[in-house]
Amino acid sequence: MRITAPMTITTKTPMMSDRFFITLSALAAALALAALLMVNILSGAPTSFLILTMVGATAYIALARLGDYDQVIPCDHIQSGEAAVGSFVLFVTSVFLTATPILPALVFAALLVYQLFLRAVISTDESELAVAGALAQGIIVAAVWFMITGGVPAAARMPEAILLGHQAVLPGPWPLAAAALSVAALVLCLSWALRPELGAWAQGPSFHGGAAGSRACVAAGLAITRALLATIALLFAGWTCGIVISLRKLSRGTRAAPLVFLFLLIFQQAVIMTARMAGVWYAAGCVLLFSYALFLLHIKKRTHRYDRHQKP
Amino acid sequence: MIDIKNLDLSIRGTTILSGISASFNDGETVGIIGKSGSGKTLLLKSLAGLAGRFPKSIAVNGAPLPRRKAEARKHVRYYGAGIPLNPDEGLHDFLLHARAPYKKAFRPYSDYDRQIADEYINLLGLSPFRDSALGVLPDGIFRLAMLAHTFIGEAHAIALDNPTNDLDIASVRMLKRAVGRYVMNGDHIVIISSNDLNFIAQAADRIIILDGGRVVGNGPVGILDQETIKRHFGTEVLISKNVYNGRPEFHLFPDI
C-alpha cells in the first residue's frame, strides 16, 4: 500500500540574494572576459584561434562535469597525467608522422589506454592519483629531453602548441570543432538528464542496485567519454584550463553553471594573454602553478573521506 | 513471505550455516541473535543474494530468489556492507538515489519518491543534515543516513545487520520507530541481526537464535530467558520486564 497523504515537499530554491549575487558575478565575469578577448585580439591573436580554444574549454567543462560521477578519476587532467600523456603522443607523432588526420585518433587511443591504466592500477585516492600524474609528467619530460638531445628534430612551435592547443595540426579544424562542440554539448546534456542514475552509480555497487554488467558498461562508457573529452580539450585548448578542482566546487546548482564556464574562459584567456606577452614558458608555469595550488588547497581543506572505521 | 528450507553454506570447506529453515511473514519484524561467529551476517547476506546462490533454498512469495544480485536486492536489501564512494554528494540527493531503480531514465524522481525520502529523513532525525555532504557527517548521523537509504529503497524485505552500531540512545529510538513504520502496512518484512539484545527484544516480533550455524530457537521474545542466554551466549544475565510493554530487558551482573 502506498502512502497517499499529502506532504510538503521541500526543495532547494536559491534565495533572492543568491540570484542577485550570481547575476552580478555573471555580468562582471562577462565584462572581464570581453576585456581579455579584446586585449588578445589587439595583441594579434587570430580570432579563429581564440574561438577554437573556447571549443576546447567546453569539452573541458564537460570533463569536469563527468568528474562528479567518476569516483575513480576525480581530479584534474593535469594532476592525473592525462594532459602529459596526450601531449607526449602529440609530440612524438608530430615528429615522426606527417599524416595529420590520424593524430587525434592516436591521442584518443593513447588516452584510452591511460584511462584503463588509471582505473585498473592507480588508487582512487586523489593525492595518490596526483602523485602518479606527477610521475607520468616527469617520465615524459625526461623522454622528450632525451629525444631532443639525441638529435630528434623537435618542431619549433611545439611548446606553444602543447600549451595553447594543436589547432594547426588538425585537418579541417572547423568541421572538427563543430563535431567536438556537439560531443561536449551532448555529454553535458546527458550528464544533466541522467544525474540521478549517474549519482547512484557513482556511490558504488552497494548503493546502485544495478547488475554488475550494467555497472561495467557505465564504467566503460565513462572511460571512453573521458578519453574523448580529454583529447578534444588537449587538441583545441592545450593546457590552458587545468583548474577543474575549483570548478567542481563551484558547480553546485544549475544557476552557477554558466558562471563557472565564464570563469574558465577568463582563466583561459588570461593564460593566452600571458603567453603572448611574457612567453609560452611563463604561461605554462602559471597554469601548472595554478592547477597544483588549487589542488593542494582543495585537498587540505577537505575533510577526510570517512573516518577510519568506515573506509571502503 | 520469505521461506528458507535447509540452507547450507560453507566457505573454504568450513561449514558456516547448516540446515537453516525459517520463514518470515509480511508485516513481521524478526530478530536474529547469536554469539559472534554463529552465522548471523552470512544468513542475512544469503537472504539478500550477496553470499552464495540458493535458488532452491530461499523463496520469496513462493518464487526462488533471483540468481542475479541486482534482481535479488529488489526483494531483499541488506544493510551493513559498503559505504558510498562519493563523499561530496549531499545527503538528500544520496537518499533520493535509493529510489533510482524505480524511476525511468530521463525522468525526474516522482512526488512519491521525494515523499518517502522526506518521511524517513524526518523519522530518523536527519533533517538538519539534508544538505550536508556525506563526507562530513558525524559517525552516528552517517549510520542513520545509511539506514535511511535502506528504508527508502522499499524492498520487500530489509535485512539490517547490527543496525544499532554507532547509534546513540535517541537514534536507537528513532530506528525503532522507522522499523515500525516500515512494517506498518503489512506488506514488508524487517529482519534484524544484532548483538544488542535489548534493542532486539524491543523491536522484534519474533526471535530466531543461531548457534554454530544452526537454528536453535525460534519464537516470541519470551523465549529469551536466563537459561537460554547462558546456553547460547555463555554468560549469566539478569532479566527484568520493561515497565511499559513487559518485554524483557537484559542486565549484566557486575564483576565482583
Side-chain angles (χ1 to χ4, degrees):
Chain A
M1 198 172 101
R2 299 277 174 180
I3 299 167
T4 52
M7 180 178 272
T8 307
I9 296 165
T10 52
T11 50
K12 277 192 284 184
T13 47
M15 302 290 287
M16 186 58 76
S17 58
D18 286 348
R19 287 183 196 171
F20 178 71
F21 173 75
I22 288 174
T23 311
L24 201 67
S25 304
L27 273 173
L31 283 172
L33 177 63
L36 280 168
L37 274 170
M38 196 62 75
V39 170
N40 282 335
I41 290 169
L42 287 175
S43 70
T47 315
S48 59
F49 161 72
L50 295 175
I51 292 171
L52 288 174
T53 54
M54 288 182 188
V55 172
T58 312
Y60 191 80
I61 282 280
L63 192 66
R65 178 78 190 157
L66 277 189
D68 285 343
Y69 305 114
D70 194 353
Q71 71 271 28
V72 181
I73 311 175
C75 76
D76 182 76
H77 77 324
I78 288 182
Q79 291 113 38
S80 53
E82 291 156 289
V85 170
S87 300
F88 179 69
V89 172
L90 273 171
F91 178 85
V92 173
T93 49
S94 305
V95 170
F96 293 106
L97 298 175
T98 51
T100 50
I102 61 167
L103 275 176
L106 281 173
V107 173
F108 171 68
L111 283 179
L112 194 57
V113 171
Y114 191 61
Q115 287 288 319
L116 296 177
F117 167 75
L118 288 177
R119 281 156 208 274
V121 180
I122 301 298
S123 159
T124 55
D125 186 89
E126 282 181 347
S127 53
E128 289 182 31
L129 192 61
V131 169
L135 277 174
Q137 285 168 21
I139 291 167
I140 285 160
V141 165
V144 170
W145 179 257
F146 276 113
M147 282 170 68
I148 293 172
T149 53
V152 175
R157 292 184 70 251
M158 188 52 72
E160 190 177 339
I162 284 176
L163 176 71
L164 302 176
H166 290 66
Q167 301 98 330
V169 301
L170 291 175
W174 291 110
L176 213 57
L181 203 58
S182 306
V183 168
L186 183 67
V187 171
L188 279 172
C189 290
L190 280 178
S191 67
W192 177 252
L194 293 172
R195 63 193 187 284
E197 287 80 4
L198 286 169
W201 181 88
Q203 293 296 10
S206 301
F207 300 91
H208 175 224
S214 70
R215 287 195 59 77
C217 286
V218 175
L222 271 179
I224 292 168
T225 311
R226 189 172 169 107
L228 187 60
L229 291 171
T231 305
I232 294 170
L234 204 64
L235 288 171
F236 285 92
W239 291 42
T240 56
C241 303
I243 49 172
V244 77
I245 290 285
S246 50
L247 286 181
R248 285 181 63 221
K249 285 176 80 71
L250 283 171
S251 64
R252 292 185 190 280
T254 51
R255 288 170 194 278
L259 192 60
V260 167
F261 186 47
L262 279 174
F263 283 152
L264 178 66
L265 292 180
I266 289 172
F267 180 78
Q268 188 180 43
Q269 293 305 318
V271 171
I272 293 170
M273 189 180 73
T274 311
R276 297 195 71 80
M277 291 183 171
V280 172
W281 293 110
Y282 284 103
C286 287
V287 170
L288 275 175
L289 199 69
F290 260 98
S291 176
Y292 275 100
L294 288 169
F295 175 72
L296 290 174
L297 278 174
H298 171 80
I299 287 289
K300 286 205 167 186
K301 269 189 180 175
R302 186 171 170 169
T303 310
H304 192 270
R305 193 180 184 95
Y306 294 111
D307 107 331
R308 63 186 183 282
H309 303 298
Q310 297 165 344
K311 268 191 150 183
Chain B
M1 182 175 181
I2 298 175
D3 277 312
I4 308 176
K5 283 181 184 164
N6 291 321
L7 174 66
D8 297 313
L9 177 63
S10 300
I11 294 180
R12 292 172 193 160
T14 306
T15 301
I16 309 293
L17 299 174
S18 175
I20 301 275
S21 293
S23 61
F24 305 91
N25 302 312
D26 290 355
E28 194 178 29
T29 302
V30 180
I32 298 177
I33 60 169
K35 64 184 177 186
S36 296
S38 58
K40 302 187 295 291
T41 294
L42 266 178
L43 176 58
L44 292 195
K45 285 187 172 179
S46 304
L47 281 169
L50 298 174
R53 288 172 180 166
F54 313 99
K56 289 179 183 170
S57 301
I58 300 175
V60 180
N61 292 332
L65 188 70
R67 290 176 68 87
R68 294 176 64 198
K69 286 180 183 174
E71 289 299 314
R73 62 179 282 139
K74 286 180 184 168
H75 295 283
V76 184
R77 186 172 284 217
Y78 175 76
Y79 161 84
I83 62 164
L85 296 175
N86 179 9
D88 293 328
E89 185 162 47
L91 175 62
H92 184 251
D93 291 343
F94 166 71
L95 293 179
L96 262 181
H97 293 334
R99 305 294 305 172
Y102 301 101
K103 76 179 270 299
K104 291 180 179 172
F106 300 108
R107 296 277 178 87
Y109 287 112
S110 68
D111 284 351
Y112 177 76
D113 292 333
R114 294 180 180 280
Q115 185 176 318
I116 201 76
D118 283 342
E119 185 175 356
Y120 280 104
I121 284 173
N122 291 331
L123 261 177
L124 292 167
L126 295 168
S127 302
F129 303 94
R130 57 183 290 137
D131 293 327
S132 303
L134 293 173
V136 300
L137 295 176
D139 281 0
I141 302 299
F142 180 83
R143 280 289 141 210
L144 282 175
M146 300 303 109
L147 283 161
H149 191 277
T150 310
F151 285 115
I152 292 166
E154 281 202 316
H156 178 215
I158 53 174
L160 307 179
D161 193 0
N162 277 316
T164 55
N165 282 4
D166 285 338
L167 299 189
D168 61 24
I169 191 164
S171 302
V172 171
R173 187 179 176 212
M174 287 189 284
L175 171 63
K176 185 172 170 291
R177 283 170 57 199
V179 167
R181 163 67 189 85
Y182 199 75
V183 295
M184 182 177 71
N185 295 332
D187 51 1
H188 289 137
I189 305 167
V190 177
I191 305 163
I192 307 170
S193 140
S194 180
N195 294 318
D196 184 346
L197 291 185
N198 283 313
F199 175 72
I200 288 280
Q202 287 296 314
D205 302 318
R206 185 159 57 92
I207 304 285
I208 292 175
I209 306 171
L210 289 185
D211 198 347
R214 292 177 178 276
V215 175
V216 293
N218 188 346
V221 289
I223 65 170
L224 293 176
D225 53 26
Q226 281 181 315
E227 190 186 333
T228 306
I229 299 292
K230 183 168 186 188
R231 191 186 316 140
H232 299 298
F233 288 88
T235 187
E236 299 218 19
V237 292
L238 182 68
I239 300 180
S240 63
K241 299 273 186 191
N242 184 285
V243 291
Y244 292 107
N245 55 26
R247 288 175 178 247
E249 289 179 336
F250 306 91
H251 313 273
L252 289 171
F253 287 104
D255 292 328
I256 300 171

